[in-house]
Every structure is written in C-alpha cells, then in structure tokens.
Amino acid sequence: MSETELDQHEAEANQLDEDDRLKPAFVSAVLAAVDADDAEGARALVEPLHPADIADLFELVPADQRARLATAIADLLDGEVFAEMNDYVREALIDALEPHQVATIAAELDTDDAVAIIEDMEESDQRAVLRALDPDDRAAIEEALSYPEESAGRLMQRELIAVPEHWTVGDVLDYLRGNDDLTTDFWEIFVVDPAHKPLGTCQLSWIMRTPRIVSMADVMKREQTLIPVEMDQEEVALRFQKYALISAAVVDPAGRLVGMITVDDIVHIISQEAGEDILRLSGAGEGDINEPVVESYKTRVRWLIANLFTALLASSIIALFEGTIARMVALATLMPIVAGVGGNAGTQTMAVTVRAIATNQLTDSNTWRTIRREIRVALLNGATIAVIIGIGVTLVFRNPQLGAVIAAAMMTNILVAGLAGVLVPVTLDRMRTDPAVSSSIFVTMTTDSMGFFAFLGLAALTGLTG
C-alpha cells in the first residue's frame, strides 16, 4: 500500500466508525471550523469524504448551520453529493441557491438524478432552472417531468447505448471508442430496429469475447424485459427482483426505446417502498427525521383522531357490560389481555398480507387459499394461547369458570384477528386503496371491539360472578 493510500485510510478511520457512520467528534470538528469562519479548515476535513458521506454530514448538522457549511465547502458540493442527500435537506439547500447554480449541478447528473433535484421546486423556480440549462439537457428533463411521479419515466436514464442489428461487433467497438460524448456507465448495449424499437440486448462481456466479424443480430439476446414508461416504480422494482435484472429498456406507448433503468436506482426504490409501507402501517407518514415538525404533525394527528373514535367504539362496548364488570372486578383486570393479544395477532397477519400484496405474492388466484391458511394458523395460535391463559387464570383466581370464559374469548378473538388481518387489506386493495395506509385502523378496531364483546358477553351469558 502506497503512502498516499495509507494517509487516506488513516483519514477515513478518523472520520467513520465501525459501522461507516460519521463520528460525532468529526462532525463537531467540522462545525467548529465553520463557526470559526475557517473555510479552508472545514474543506480540508470534508474533502476526503465520499459524496454519500458528505450528504450524511449535512443531515447530521443542525438545520440552521447547513447553509453556512454549504458556503464553506461550496466547491465540494457537486451533483453527486446532492443526488445522495435526504430529500428534505436537499430541498432546503436548493432553495438557497440561485437558478444558475442549480442548473450547473443538474447538468452534471444523469437525467433521473437531475429530475429528483428539480421536481420538488416551485414552478417558477423550475422554469428559471430549465432556462439556464443547455437545450439538450432542458429537453430531456422537461420530458421526464411530463411523466407521472414515481413512474418509470421519472426514474429512467436517457443516457444509453443503442445500435442497429446489422452492425458487427467490430462496428460497435469502434463506435464506443470513437465517440467521447457517449455515456460511460452502462452494463449492456441495446439493439434496435430502424424505428428505434428494442430487438434485444447484449452484455459488454459478450462483446469483449466475441470476434469482430460477428453480427450483433447473432450475438444479442432477444428475450428481454421491457418497462412501459408510465409503469409505477414499485412494479418496476418487482420486475427487477423477479427476473434478476441489471438494467432494462424503457419504452414509450409506441414501443420505442426512450431510456433505461439500472439496478442501482432499483435498490434505492426497494428500500424506499419497503420503508414507506412500514411507516404507513403505523400512520407515521413519511417518518423522516428531517421532515418539518408541522408536516409530521399533520400526517400523524389525523390517524390519532381516527384511533380516538375507534377507541370510543370499544369503550362503548365495555359500557354495555358495566353491570357484569361491577359484579366481578377481575373482568376489568383481564380485559386488556384479551384485546391486546388479539391486536398483536391481527397485526401479524396484516403485516404478512400487506407485504404479500405489495410483492404480488397475493393475487386473485390465491386469495381464498391464503384466507384458509390464515384461519388454520389462527386456530392453532388461538388454541395454544387459550389453553395457557385458561389454566393461568384458573390457578390465579381459583375460578375454573373464569378460566374457561377467558380461554373461549381468547380463542374467538384470535380467530377474528386472523380473518380481519387478511380480509381488511385484501378488501382495501380490491377497492384500489393502499392497504398499507389504513389497514391498521380497521384491524385494531375489530380486535379491540371483538375482544371486549366476546369476553364480557361470555361472562354475562354464563352468569359469572365474583
């Protein structure tokens, strides 16, 4: 290892911990340099960092110091850094820049990354930035912005290599070596017909190992996965996952090749979509710690209000059995157990179902089989928990009748929870409503209400008294 490499390795060791996160001491040192108006010192500390780590640095420093940090290390803030930034942090910094500065950053990026920077800007600011771009870059970004949000058209790159099928491998190699304006980041070459419709693909490794005289029509793979330009990005990610793709051609409604999507973009989408589904199940919105407080409040409070009304429904069921509870105070002690365990059972089934829907594992052809499966799982879980709670309550309260009542209520509620956990998301999906958004409200309402009703109802019917 050279001396330069050793110095770089030592610098990285001082910046990052064992989990490749910026150390608090390093962040404090950068902020101290910024506070002391020591731009050169701050730049010296930050310069060795990878663009992704510089983006992390901006997320770690307080919001009111990000602008000063950006000023101190302005020459290090290139397009790669902005592409790696958290959306909220990037948006705030972009708002502080002049349109020509944003245009300079956007021009350095692939189309998909440039669109990610520009798409959330105010319309007037967008127009100013687009006017400052070169005509070719402006046309590509305007076309991307014309497609729906979170679609393949927004996600795709326009920079790709496409050649006609009558070319030989030698023609392709000469073309790649003789054109400095071609993109340098690609894994395969697309073969197109005269109408620019994709006919097949050819990996770079095949081209490098094939004699120059061989025709591209003979070496290319004709089977390929084509992505419609308006396909939702989540569906695109599922296709990449299902067919183990490295890149894929994007086609317009006429079937012409207009771009490509690469697996590095898909990794980000898979992570983003998975995180969104988990956060939606909890009603936490985007769940980003950089999201403004007011936006987080607006997102979360409406689900808390909805929960309030569902809780009132459950409490009204308790009120119906006020006399039963008065005769035996132990019922009030045990009620939360029935509702709580039922709620957890419903959440388990709901999470599995929502994930199955999101990954296309659950379809019209296997819905009823899935429901029957969840019923069997619920029966097994219910029987196990019912036996345990029944024996436990009998021994603690020395009341076999109370043990039998809570065991029957637990069995009933877990079975209902299993049904609700699968039927609620499936029903919402059939109604074209995202099951990740509101399933938890309805499942919780069902398990709480049924838990209280089953337990107190059985206690009333059996004439259980203390």
Side-chain angles (χ1 to χ4, degrees):
M1 185 179 291
S2 67
E3 184 176 346
T4 302
E5 291 174 331
L6 284 171
D7 291 341
Q8 182 177 358
H9 181 74
E10 183 179 354
E12 291 176 352
N14 292 329
Q15 298 155 354
L16 305 174
D17 62 18
E18 63 275 7
D19 295 319
D20 288 332
R21 297 173 300 193
L22 292 173
K23 293 180 178 179
F26 174 78
V27 177
S28 298
V30 173
L31 287 178
V34 172
D35 290 338
D37 293 326
D38 183 8
E40 290 187 9
R43 188 186 184 285
L45 288 169
V46 176
E47 186 175 16
L49 294 178
H50 184 277
D53 292 320
I54 298 178
D56 287 344
L57 175 63
F58 276 89
E59 296 173 27
L60 293 172
V61 303
D64 58 354
Q65 297 200 48
R66 289 169 184 161
R68 294 184 61 196
L69 174 61
T71 301
I73 62 169
D75 57 333
L76 300 178
L77 290 180
D78 57 16
E80 289 186 67
V81 175
F82 277 93
E84 296 286 349
M85 273 186 189
N86 171 274
D87 291 346
Y88 291 103
V89 176
R90 180 176 61 210
E91 184 177 346
L93 285 178
I94 289 295
D95 288 343
L97 297 177
E98 295 297 327
H100 71 275
Q101 294 174 301
V102 180
T104 301
I105 294 168
E108 299 174 358
L109 299 170
D110 291 331
T111 308
D112 56 327
D113 291 327
V115 169
I117 288 177
I118 296 174
E119 63 182 351
D120 293 328
M121 300 178 69
E122 297 291 337
E123 188 174 346
S124 59
D125 294 333
Q126 278 189 9
R127 288 196 297 267
V129 171
L130 291 172
R131 283 196 299 269
L133 286 168
D134 292 335
D136 290 342
D137 291 333
R138 183 192 313 133
I141 293 175
E142 285 178 339
E143 181 187 2
L145 292 172
S146 69
Y147 295 117
E149 290 188 24
E150 298 189 349
S151 67
R154 292 284 184 99
L155 186 63
M156 70 181 181
Q157 303 174 24
R158 271 83 178 156
E159 299 81 8
L160 52 80
I161 307 296
V163 300
E165 64 174 329
H166 66 266
W167 277 16
T168 66
V169 170
D171 293 332
V172 174
L173 290 173
D174 292 340
Y175 173 67
L176 294 175
R177 293 167 181 167
N179 290 270
D180 295 333
D181 294 334
L182 296 176
T183 179
T184 57
D185 295 325
F186 59 96
W187 290 266
E188 58 186 352
I189 292 172
F190 298 98
V191 182
V192 296
D193 66 10
H196 210 64
K197 295 181 179 180
L199 299 173
T201 63
C202 188
Q203 295 180 9
L204 287 176
S205 58
W206 300 351
I207 292 176
M208 299 301 296
R209 294 167 59 88
T210 303
R212 291 178 60 89
I213 61 172
V214 176
S215 170
M216 289 297 292
D218 295 330
V219 72
M220 72 178 181
K221 180 178 68 173
R222 294 186 180 272
E223 298 79 16
Q224 58 181 322
T225 300
L226 301 178
I227 306 294
V229 73
E230 294 191 352
M231 177 179 283
D232 183 83
Q233 65 180 21
E234 190 169 0
E235 182 63 29
V236 175
L238 290 174
R239 290 200 179 186
F240 267 73
Q241 183 179 13
K242 182 176 182 179
Y243 299 114
L245 302 177
I246 299 298
S247 64
V250 181
V251 295
D252 64 12
R256 293 186 296 268
L257 177 66
V258 293
M260 72 171 180
I261 295 176
T262 54
V263 71
D264 58 320
D265 297 313
I266 296 303
V267 170
H268 173 72
I269 296 302
I270 291 174
S271 174
Q272 176 184 324
E273 295 289 347
E276 284 181 358
D277 285 345
I278 294 298
L279 291 165
R280 285 171 179 170
L281 282 173
S282 66
E286 294 187 18
D288 195 312
I289 60 173
N290 294 292
E291 184 179 17
V293 172
V294 174
E295 290 186 27
S296 294
Y297 159 74
K298 290 179 180 178
T299 300
R300 300 183 194 184
V301 74
R302 63 172 179 263
W303 293 112
L304 293 176
I305 292 173
N307 276 327
L308 176 61
F309 284 105
T310 58
L312 290 173
L313 176 61
S315 66
S316 66
I317 293 176
I318 296 174
L320 294 175
F321 298 95
E322 185 177 355
T324 304
I325 297 173
R327 290 194 301 271
M328 189 173 188
V329 179
L331 296 176
T333 305
L334 298 173
M335 281 191 307
I337 299 176
V338 179
V341 174
N344 286 335
T347 299
Q348 289 176 343
T349 306
M350 177 185 64
V352 171
T353 305
V354 169
R355 180 184 180 277
I357 292 172
T359 58
N360 285 344
Q361 290 181 308
L362 182 58
T363 64
D364 292 340
S365 61
N366 66 351
T367 296
W368 286 110
R369 185 168 72 249
T370 301
I371 292 173
R372 290 193 296 271
R373 174 189 179 278
E374 291 303 325
I375 289 175
R376 291 197 295 270
V377 173
L379 287 171
L380 291 171
N381 285 336
T384 302
I385 301 301
V387 169
I388 294 173
I389 190 67
I391 293 174
V393 168
T394 299
L395 294 176
V396 171
F397 292 91
R398 302 181 184 277
N399 190 333
Q401 187 180 8
L402 178 59
V405 165
I406 195 171
M410 188 69 77
M411 181 74 188
T412 301
N413 200 25
I414 290 180
L415 179 59
V416 170
L419 284 170
V422 67
L423 289 176
V424 168
V426 167
T427 301
L428 291 172
D429 184 57
R430 298 293 187 269
M431 295 170 62
R432 305 297 180 188
T433 301
D434 189 349
V437 174
S438 52
S439 292
S440 60
I441 298 293
F442 295 107
V443 172
T444 301
M445 178 186 69
T446 302
T447 55
D448 285 353
S449 301
M450 180 52 66
F452 294 141
F453 185 79
F455 184 44
L456 297 176
L458 287 172
L461 286 174
T462 57
L464 192 63
T465 58

